């Protein structure tokens, strides 16, 4: 009976799991974090900064502040904007923008693997 | 000259670094996080929950809520309290409390190593 209880405790390990947040810190605070990466992805999807911001319920000014912060810290533009034309311009990601997205999710995947490994290695005693 | 500039960029990699937060999630939200672990350490140091809470500018009620949350999720007590006596009781960590601290910092050290490794592997292009 005691043995069973012990076994049960160990098979219930997934009641506990390691979780975390990750960001890339630059010269002036956060350079790349979840919100910034999703903003870049939305700009890629919508071809428009204002529509990307709107889809995230973010003010246009705030989205520009984030882009400006990323541009300055990367030392190059993340997004290329074209003014004028019938559509009133548009926005496309630069190579730097694409690289930022790729780098962030690549490290994020490794971070998730790390967290999963730590969860698997958890001593059943810790989480009751 | 161009070569030098390229080299400079690569030696300046530490302008950018991966950072993160880590916590152990239990059945009902956070089980172990920075604040909870520091609370346990202060209780160990002060031998008193109220003094530990005070040292963290935390209300006594909040410290009890955190302890209660940890006790419930661990399925055992983190802190043993002795009532009465000249000192008005006292508080000592249980083995479970000690294990929680040890487990948290052990994983935290590995997390820091992971972040450092990711920072070393950063492509210099990303951070400008």
């Amino acid at each position: 009976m005691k043995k069973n209880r012990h076994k049960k405790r160990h098979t219930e390990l997934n009641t506990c799991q390691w979780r975390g947040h990750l960001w890339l810190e630059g010269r002036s605070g956060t350079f790349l974090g979840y919100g910034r990466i999703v903003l870049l992805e939305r700009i890629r999807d919508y071809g428009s900064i204002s529509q990307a911001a709107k889809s995230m319920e973010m003010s246009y000014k705030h989205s520009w502040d984030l882009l400006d912060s990323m541009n300055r810290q990367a030392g190059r533009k993340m997004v290329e904007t074209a003014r004028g034309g019938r559509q009133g311009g548009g926005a496309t990601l630069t190579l730097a923008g694409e690289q930022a997205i790729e780098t962030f999710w690549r490290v994020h995947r490794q971070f998730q693997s790390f967290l999963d490994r730590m969860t698997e290695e958890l001593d059943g005693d810790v989480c009751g």
Side-chain angles (χ1 to χ4, degrees), chain A:
Chain A
M1 190 58 184
K2 260 191 176 168
K3 264 195 175 169
N4 275 349
R5 213 177 298 149
H6 187 68
K7 201 180 170 192
K8 190 157 177 275
R9 183 192 278 170
H10 277 268
T11 57
E12 278 177 353
L13 278 185
N14 51 5
T15 55
C16 235
Q17 60 177 330
W18 287 100
R19 298 188 63 176
H21 280 154
L22 188 75
W23 69 92
L24 186 58
E25 186 96 356
R27 298 168 218 270
S28 11
T30 302
F31 166 39
L32 301 178
Y34 296 93
R36 289 158 185 242
I37 292 299
V38 171
L39 176 64
L40 291 178
E41 289 177 333
R42 296 281 172 99
I43 291 171
R44 181 176 57 191
D45 293 346
Y46 288 101
S48 151
I49 295 171
S50 62
Q51 281 184 49
K54 199 175 165 186
S55 79
M56 296 176 72
E57 298 186 24
M58 184 186 278
S59 75
Y60 188 63
K61 186 191 176 311
H62 187 56
S63 68
W64 262 110
D65 288 345
L66 294 182
L67 285 175
D68 184 54
S69 162
M70 285 189 269
N71 291 342
R72 278 185 294 102
Q73 294 189 75
R76 34 189 200 152
K77 278 191 195 172
M78 295 278 156
V79 172
E80 202 66 65
T81 50
R83 296 196 179 278
R86 283 227 176 139
Q87 310 288 325
T92 48
L93 286 195
T94 62
L95 181 61
E98 296 285 1
Q99 279 178 338
I101 293 172
E102 194 277 326
T103 299
F104 185 82
W105 291 125
R106 183 166 40 78
V107 174
H108 190 263
R109 281 192 298 276
Q110 293 185 67
F111 180 43
Q112 280 304 321
S113 300
F114 167 80
L115 293 173
D116 291 346
R117 205 166 61 245
M118 291 300 108
T119 297
E120 280 165 22
E121 289 176 10
L122 262 178
D123 182 346
D125 283 346
V126 173
C127 296

